[in-house]
Amino acid sequence: MIRWRGTLYRFHPLFTLVMLFSALTGYLVEALTLFGIVFIHEMGHTAAAMGLGWKVREVQLLPFGGVAVVDELGTVPLHEELIVALAGPFQHAWMILFALLMKIVAPSSLEWWNYFIEVNLMIGLFNLLPVLPLDGGRVLQCLFGYFMSYYRSLWLTTWLSLTLSAFVIGFAIYGWFSNQLPLNLLVIGLFLLLSNWFSYRQLPFLFFRFLMSRGQRVSRLMMRGTLAQPIVVARQQKISNILKLFMREKYHLIYVMNEKGRIQAILPEQQLVSGFLDGKKPGSAVSELFM
């Protein structure tokens, strides 16, 4: 583990196993090349996050990329998350262009540069798969956030990632019955499945963090002149269910209707958030805020 400028950098156990196995089997140069590519990939994420003012607490290096541990996910504008997510795969583009140039300048090292390009393509394309915590999964979650609620985007991408992770494991097991067990694919599938199961268990925490940041985010949206998006609910609707309708790039006015279809109250979203965070039970009805 290395700490630099307040950020902890450490190898994931998977990466450590790959490095040790490569050294024992005589592929140390290839392993060091892999490490360099993965490190540059993750530094792309880190540089973009820090450039936007994010606090990067930890960077975990994996054989196929990395994971940056930050507190800003779900609390910043969607375009910032898109920039940070795409900054990693973007590094492979310039590294491949550089390698193509070096193939012309230094043809004596043609075989190594071909390997360098192949690994860059493999890691770059793999990270664009729509599976969390890969970059493609982050991008998909951001795109969902533009037209659906934050909670639904979290739930949908997590379950999609769980399904695809299980598919990867199933494909690897199928290879076992065909006497061609891709062990690396099985390990990656298991890692993705466990990561997404942990993310699923963390959904309440992520949603709570989103609600905690809504006051500051709504103030910025209103200063930009963003139009309010109404949410029409019945008075007996649960506060917790209404909060799950909130979108990241909108602020909301909640129209509470009575049994006769008349507007009984118009509540700013922060009143619901405050009521929920101040100790209202999850099953409390919205009418309890204005009765």
Side-chain angles (χ1 to χ4, degrees):
M1 295 187 294
I2 301 172
R3 184 173 294 277
W4 183 56
R5 292 190 176 184
T7 301
L8 181 66
Y9 296 84
R10 68 183 181 91
F11 294 103
H12 190 276
L14 277 179
F15 202 121
T16 305
L17 289 174
V18 169
M19 295 292 286
L20 289 174
F21 182 77
S22 300
L24 292 173
T25 54
Y27 289 95
L28 184 59
V29 174
E30 288 81 357
L32 291 175
T33 302
L34 175 66
F35 166 75
I37 292 172
V38 167
F39 183 74
I40 292 173
H41 172 109
E42 203 54 37
M43 286 306 296
H45 290 306
T46 304
M50 290 182 174
L52 291 168
W54 294 20
K55 172 64 176 177
V56 182
R57 293 193 287 112
E58 182 179 319
V59 173
Q60 301 175 13
L61 296 176
L62 295 152
F64 47 82
V67 177
V69 181
V70 297
D71 293 327
E72 284 78 6
L73 294 178
T75 66
V76 295
L78 282 169
H79 72 270
E80 289 191 12
E81 282 196 27
L82 278 173
I83 291 172
V84 173
L86 292 173
F90 175 77
Q91 306 310 309
H92 301 291
W94 73 259
M95 283 193 283
I96 290 173
L97 291 175
F98 178 76
L100 291 173
L101 177 62
M102 293 305 297
K103 286 175 66 175
I104 299 173
V105 175
S108 59
S109 305
L110 191 62
E111 183 177 349
W112 188 85
W113 287 114
N114 284 334
Y115 171 75
F116 185 81
I117 293 173
E118 180 182 342
V119 174
N120 265 286
L121 283 171
M122 179 183 68
I123 296 177
L125 293 176
F126 180 78
N127 270 276
L128 288 175
L129 291 176
V131 182
L132 295 171
L134 303 180
D135 301 330
R138 298 294 181 196
V139 170
L140 183 64
Q141 190 173 90
C142 289
L143 296 177
F144 281 163
Y146 280 108
F147 59 87
M148 67 175 60
S149 70
Y150 177 65
Y151 183 85
R152 185 166 181 80
S153 70
L154 276 180
W155 184 89
L156 188 58
T157 49
T158 300
W159 274 102
L160 178 62
S161 298
L162 281 167
T163 302
L164 292 177
S165 300
F167 176 80
V168 171
I169 294 173
F171 183 78
I173 294 175
Y174 173 80
W176 179 72
F177 286 106
S178 304
N179 297 321
Q180 295 178 347
L181 175 62
L183 183 61
N184 58 340
L185 191 63
L186 179 61
V187 171
I188 290 173
L190 289 171
F191 167 77
L192 293 176
L193 186 68
L194 290 174
S195 295
N196 282 291
W197 176 249
F198 178 75
S199 295
Y200 173 72
R201 299 292 298 271
Q202 289 289 98
L203 282 182
F205 166 76
L206 296 174
F207 186 62
F208 187 80
R209 186 175 65 181
F210 163 75
L211 295 177
M212 290 285 291
S213 68
R214 279 304 284 179
Q216 186 178 14
R217 183 69 186 131
V218 166
S219 297
R220 292 178 180 176
L221 289 170
M222 294 179 70
M223 289 178 63
R224 281 170 35 191
T226 304
L227 296 177
Q229 179 165 315
I231 296 177
V232 181
V233 299
R235 56 174 296 170
Q236 66 269 22
Q237 186 71 267
K238 295 180 181 179
I239 297 175
S240 57
N241 290 339
I242 300 173
L243 295 176
K244 292 178 181 179
L245 301 175
F246 287 6
M247 299 179 66
R248 288 179 59 176
E249 296 299 308
K250 302 285 186 181
Y251 74 91
H252 303 281
L253 292 175
I254 292 80
Y255 288 73
V256 184
M257 312 290 286
N258 61 20
E259 291 77 3
K260 297 181 180 180
R262 296 177 180 176
I263 298 175
Q264 194 165 3
I266 301 176
L267 307 176
E269 68 165 72
Q270 200 55 34
Q271 187 172 345
L272 266 73
V273 174
S274 298
F276 180 77
L277 297 179
D278 287 344
K280 287 289 184 181
K281 296 180 180 179
S284 299
V286 65
S287 59
E288 295 183 28
L289 291 178
F290 60 89
M291 284 182 61

